[in-house]
């Protein structure tokens, strides 16, 4: 099957084409435009701004993705308007009635190229920033009408989970494009850590999820981003904090942290999290320090990272024990973090459990994981939909 994935839930506009065959998945086109440079100027993501950027970038990215995949075939001159009946154009226009420029861009592309041989479209319909999600959803519906391709609304968090179960076919290749979908050992515990989520999920069987714990306030990625902002570091703060923390660990492996921070809810005997207090603790700490030098930033970054990682490790190991899990899955943008990968590897080795983490390049938001999640759902018998909505707080 050829599946097109579309992702617009936050600040990455992404489209990806995969070719699947049973447990094999091959990327044949993958395009991502990150809006980070834009949002950095404002210190965070503004939904309406993200939405406008998605609308501007979707068609150019789709065209590039098709070109990359060799599905880009120009029509011969006298065929130009053939598949585009007035009725069809009218329906597409209605679907994109709030996105005039996107409609114009899409029509220009549709007039010039042949219908690509895509079997299904998977689009993120939540969770995420609702205005941003809507652009992707409407775009998917418009493509579906235009080219008669079924659409599968897809859960972003499920994408983060499933992409962790991929194994590159050739581990030594510089850039891998071919993967095998690994068999998960159930029950598994999935730890989802991103800019919008911190969740522990019991995965009892394929596509069967039970959320056993969530954050009560900020997500872990959000805490990284906010602490970074307090320290005057650019958005997104996760990689910045992580870099400083690593430097501190290397330079001063035995230093006692001069600014100790709390380990929120570490002894709460449940699987919930809270990361807003630690951010406030960082704020108070910095207010008491006369000059926030680079070395102070480094010390705080390390202590913050140590604190949050200790909490997620402890909660995950308790969940593994309670549910007798056979596998730990980590997913979401924060799983790109070096220390988190290292500490979870240690945990998995110590308790003798399988650990699945995404490739670094597939940790943060991308459309590959959405195409993959669409495929796994199709394999399980899910039916396409026409009348679905974008839903900002869609749950697993
Ligand atoms: O999954 P994702 O790309 O978007 C959401 O669905 O939210 O996650 C983005 C989050 C941001 O908060 C970013 O700071 C964080 O992931 N992040 C990291 C690292 N790379 C990205 N946090 C810690 N360490 C990293 N290396
Ligand atoms: Zn995400």
């Amino acid at each position: 099957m050829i599946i097109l994935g579309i992702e617009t839930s936050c600040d990455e506009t992404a489209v990806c084409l995969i070719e699947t065959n049973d447990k094999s998945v091959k990327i044949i086109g993958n395009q991502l435009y990150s809006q980070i440079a834009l949002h950095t100027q404002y210190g965070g993501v503004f939904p309406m701004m993200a939405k406008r950027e998605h609308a501007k970038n979707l068609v150019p990215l789709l065209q590039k993705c098709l070109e990359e995949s060799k599905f880009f075939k120009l029509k011969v001159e006298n065929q130009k308007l053939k598949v585009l009946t007035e009725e069809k154009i009218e329906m597409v226009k209605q679907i994109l009635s709030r996105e005039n420029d996107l409609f114009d861009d899409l029509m220009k592309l549709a007039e010039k190229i042949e219908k690509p041989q895509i079997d299904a479209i998977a689009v993120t319909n939540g969770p995420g920033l609702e205005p941003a999600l809507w652009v992707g959803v409407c775009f998917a519906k418009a493509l579906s009408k235009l080219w008669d391709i079924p659409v599968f609304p897809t859960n972003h968090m499920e994408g983060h989970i499933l992409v962790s179960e991929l194994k590159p076919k050739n581990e030594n290749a510089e850039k891998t494009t071919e993967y095998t979908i690994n068999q998960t050992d159930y029950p598994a515990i999935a730890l989802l850590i991103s800019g919008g989520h911190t969740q522990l999920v019991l995965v009892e069987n394929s596509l069967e999820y039970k959320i056993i714990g969530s954050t009560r306030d900020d997500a872990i990625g959000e805490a990284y981003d906010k602490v970074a902002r307090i320290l005057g570091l650019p958005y997104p703060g996760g990689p910045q904090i992580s870099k400083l923390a690593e430097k501190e660990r290397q330079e001063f492996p035995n230093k006692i942290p001069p600014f100790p921070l709390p380990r929120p809810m570490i002894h709460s005997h449940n699987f919930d999290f809270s990361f807003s207090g630690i951010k406030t603790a960082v704020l108070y700490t910095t207010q008491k320090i006369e000059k926030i030098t680079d070395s102070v930033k480094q010390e705080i970054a390390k202590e913050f990272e140590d604190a949050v990682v200790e909490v997620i490790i402890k909660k995950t190991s308790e969940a593994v024990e309670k549910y007798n899990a056979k596998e730990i899955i980590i997913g979401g943008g924060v799983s790109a973090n070096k220390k988190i990968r290292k500490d979870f590897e240690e945990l998995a080795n110590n308790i003798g459990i399988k650990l699945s983490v995404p490739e670094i390049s597939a940790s943060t938001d991308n459309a590959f994981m959405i195409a993959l999640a669409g495929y796994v759902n199709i394999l399980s018998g899910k039916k396409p939909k026409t009348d679905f909505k974008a839903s900002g707080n869609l749950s697993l």
Side-chain angles (χ1 to χ4, degrees):
M1 280 186 99
I2 305 292
I3 301 173
L4 171 69
I6 301 172
E7 156 65 35
T8 64
S9 71
C10 190
D11 56 354
E12 322 281 355
T13 319
V15 294
C16 177
L17 275 167
I18 59 171
E19 186 173 356
T20 65
N21 183 4
D22 191 24
K23 296 284 172 200
S24 281
V25 181
K26 185 176 172 192
I27 298 177
I28 55 173
N30 200 9
Q31 295 291 328
L32 183 142
Y33 175 80
S34 170
Q35 306 173 6
I36 283 176
L38 173 77
H39 298 298
T40 294
Q41 302 168 44
Y42 304 94
V45 182
F46 285 91
M48 293 313 281
M49 207 186 281
K51 170 198 139 105
R52 265 200 310 275
E53 286 296 300
H54 289 313
K56 207 164 73 187
N57 292 312
L58 275 168
V59 172
L61 287 175
L62 175 64
Q63 172 161 345
K64 274 196 201 150
C65 190
L66 291 169
E67 284 168 357
E68 200 186 336
S69 72
K70 311 275 186 282
F71 275 125
F72 185 84
K73 285 203 192 81
L74 288 173
K75 283 179 187 162
V76 288
E77 197 56 33
N78 62 1
Q79 298 242 319
K80 277 220 164 141
L81 289 169
K82 206 174 146 199
V83 285
L84 302 178
T85 59
E86 282 301 321
E87 194 194 350
K88 204 165 243 182
I89 294 174
E90 199 41 50
M91 282 195 288
V92 173
K93 193 171 192 170
Q94 255 177 36
I95 294 170
L96 295 176
S97 59
R98 291 169 180 216
E99 307 294 343
N100 291 334
D101 292 346
L102 179 56
F103 170 75
D104 291 345
D105 290 353
L106 180 58
M107 283 335 260
K108 274 185 211 141
L109 179 70
E111 277 170 18
K112 87 178 165 195
I113 67 165
E114 302 240 7
K115 173 190 160 173
Q117 294 309 306
I118 297 170
D119 300 299
I121 299 172
V123 63
T124 306
N125 71 319
L129 306 171
E130 216 154 279
L133 288 164
W134 267 117
V135 191
V137 165
C138 291
F139 186 59
K141 288 181 180 179
L143 290 177
S144 166
K145 258 300 165 251
L146 194 65
W147 289 328
D148 303 308
I149 305 170
V151 183
F152 295 81
T154 302
N155 187 305
H156 181 87
M157 301 317 288
E158 187 162 75
H160 275 307
I161 293 181
L162 293 173
V163 81
S164 300
E165 288 293 13
L166 290 183
K167 208 173 163 331
K169 281 208 171 154
N170 179 358
E171 305 257 9
N172 301 321
E174 203 169 286
K175 191 166 173 250
T176 324
T177 52
E178 288 186 62
Y179 300 86
T180 309
I181 303 174
N182 255 353
Q183 175 60 43
T184 307
D185 293 341
Y186 301 109
I189 291 291
L191 172 72
L192 296 176
I193 39 178
S194 71
H197 286 78
T198 307
Q199 284 179 335
L200 272 166
V201 183
L202 173 65
V203 190
E204 288 172 297
N205 221 318
S206 175
L207 308 182
E208 281 177 27
Y209 310 105
K210 192 172 156 203
I211 297 168
I212 56 169
S214 304
T215 180
R216 296 185 176 174
D217 38 57
D218 291 352
I220 185 168
E222 195 178 352
Y224 265 97
D225 296 338
K226 286 179 175 170
V227 166
R229 194 170 346 159
I230 294 170
L231 298 180
L233 304 166
Y235 172 86
Q240 307 282 336
I241 295 276
S242 166
K243 223 186 289 168
L244 289 186
E246 280 303 315
K247 198 156 168 259
E248 178 76 5
R249 265 176 220 118
Q250 271 167 16
E251 289 175 3
F252 309 103
N254 302 316
K255 193 198 283 182
I256 295 171
F259 311 108
L261 292 169
R263 271 61 178 157
M265 292 186 73
I266 199 159
H267 299 301
S268 66
H269 299 297
N270 58 28
F271 301 115
D272 283 346
F273 303 88
S274 163
F275 293 110
S276 114
I278 189 164
K279 161 209 70 190
T280 313
V282 170
L283 182 66
Y284 290 161
T285 302
T286 56
Q287 284 169 347
K288 281 185 225 139
I289 302 168
E290 211 170 293
K291 191 160 188 303
I292 311 292
T293 59
D294 285 351
S295 63
V296 169
K297 286 184 189 177
Q298 223 173 272
E299 286 161 348
I300 293 178
K302 173 181 175 281
E303 173 62 2
F304 166 77
E305 186 161 274
D306 284 352
V308 295
V309 176
E310 231 175 279
V311 174
I312 57 174
I313 288 272
K314 170 107 184 310
K315 300 252 171 185
T316 308
S317 52
E318 284 174 357
V320 165
E321 199 180 325
K322 172 160 180 188
Y323 293 98
N324 200 11
K326 308 281 182 295
E327 177 173 339
I328 298 173
I329 302 166
I330 314 182
V334 183
S335 72
N337 184 280
K338 245 189 184 163
K339 176 162 174 68
I340 292 177
R341 285 174 180 248
K342 188 176 145 276
D343 286 12
F344 271 90
E345 257 166 44
E346 257 170 47
L347 171 72
N349 281 337
N350 287 343
I351 56 179
I353 191 174
K354 183 172 145 196
L355 173 70
S356 297
V357 289
E359 283 204 321
I360 298 273
S361 61
S363 306
T364 46
D365 290 351
N366 61 84
F368 175 39
M369 67 183 199
I370 302 306
L372 171 72
Y375 176 55
V376 176
N377 275 283
I378 291 168
L379 283 182
S380 79
K382 186 171 167 178
K383 297 280 171 272
K385 282 196 173 167
T386 48
D387 59 344
F388 60 98
K389 292 181 174 170
S391 169
N393 47 22
L394 186 70
S395 183
L396 270 172

